[in-house]
Amino acid sequence: MVDGRQTIQYHAVESHYRLRTLRISFILVIWATLVGTQSNGDRFLRAQTSQQSASSQSEAQAKIRVNANLVILPVTVKDQNGNLVPGLQKQEFRVFDDNVEQSIDVFTAEAFPLSLVVLIDDDLKSKDAEQLVQSLRAVVAGISSSDEAAICRFDLKFYPGEGFTGDPDRLLAELKKAQEASGPSSAGPVPFVTGPSSHAPGIGEPRQAAPTNLGSRPTKALDDAVYSAAQLLHDRERGRRKIMLVISDGINGREFNNHTYDETLAALLSEDISVYSVAVGSSSFHRKFTRLFNYAGNSGGDISYASKSQAMERLYSQITEQARHEYTLAYVPRGNNRASIYHAVEVRTTREGLHVKTRQGYYMPPQ
């Protein structure tokens, strides 16, 4: 898997990384300055004071001022029943980068405001579309006054909506538009047939049968939609948790996409975006949800399965609360494979019986 990811064009990765480094550097300079002046209005300061002692604050502040190449990991911890586990401390986490254990330079359990893209599948079966429509208004319930969201749709194309807002009335209006557009694609199926032979028949070659309709290709471009949604999150306000809520049946017409899965995942990781997927339809056929599962797992998000509108409504609030209350760990890589573009990451906890989830890696130009 790592080898496949390293085939992504180096210059695209380097461009993503440079933008990410500038953004992180700016965040951390502001953070360190505000910690030094004891500004009570800054959320990062509240995170530090609530979770760290005065000595650990000073140590983290000194490191932040001289290091900009931090790898930032949002981390979710659940117990065996699937419940979020609060109250863990820095010393209860272990971070491995390319199998080399790292020293955690920054740690917080602060609840960050969200910048959220809600990406809605516009081309569902009639039954699934009806259940989705009934549930969409509940998305607003999971968005707090400090959050912002953009409502987007996709089928063969990506529809970016009206941009980010924290206004509940405007969000409801955007969701109503999405409800009205949801349903089977008006473009109709794209026939998949055997075409005519492209060469002269050889000696003894049997005559080709008439073109045969083998069904239809899915008229959706999921990879391109996720990639476009990631671009919307690129310039959002610093200090926010960037997440994407993808509500879809997971079907993807690969031939309709301009971006591959690896390219799209690279864009997500470069922008520190976590994908949370809501798989619409029967959960008995998990194979069709593979794309949603992979985006969620590799970006440090999560996937939920819902076949009824009531279940979807509950999931929206659960997902946003989980994303808002993740732990944040950050470190400057030491001793990892500097010749590699992609670096695998693993986070563990010293407490037994807990499940830790974060993104599985990140991209960085080799040094």
Side-chain angles (χ1 to χ4, degrees), residues 31 34-35 38-40 42-50:
W31 186 354
L34 291 178
V35 170
Q38 295 296 306
S39 170
N40 293 324
D42 190 85
R43 297 188 65 85
F44 285 115
L45 175 57
R46 293 202 300 271
Q48 293 292 301
T49 55
S50 63

Side-chain angles (χ1 to χ4, degrees), residues 106-128:
V106 180
F107 171 84
T108 178
E110 174 75 353
F112 286 85
L114 304 178
S115 287
L116 165 68
V117 170
V118 182
L119 184 58
I120 302 169
D121 193 330
D122 236 10
D123 186 9
L124 299 172
K125 294 180 180 179
S126 297
K127 181 180 178 181
D128 295 337

Side-chain angles (χ1 to χ4, degrees), residues 5-23:
R5 289 175 177 146
Q6 290 185 343
T7 62
I8 299 172
Q9 295 183 0
Y10 171 80
H11 292 297
V13 173
E14 184 177 25
S15 176
H16 276 304
Y17 176 72
R18 286 175 177 172
L19 291 172
R20 176 178 175 272
T21 300
L22 289 172
R23 173 167 48 85

Side-chain angles (χ1 to χ4, degrees), residues 48-61:
Q48 293 292 301
T49 55
S50 63
Q51 296 297 326
Q52 299 179 334
S53 65
S55 60
S56 62
Q57 281 183 23
S58 299
E59 180 183 358
Q61 179 182 341

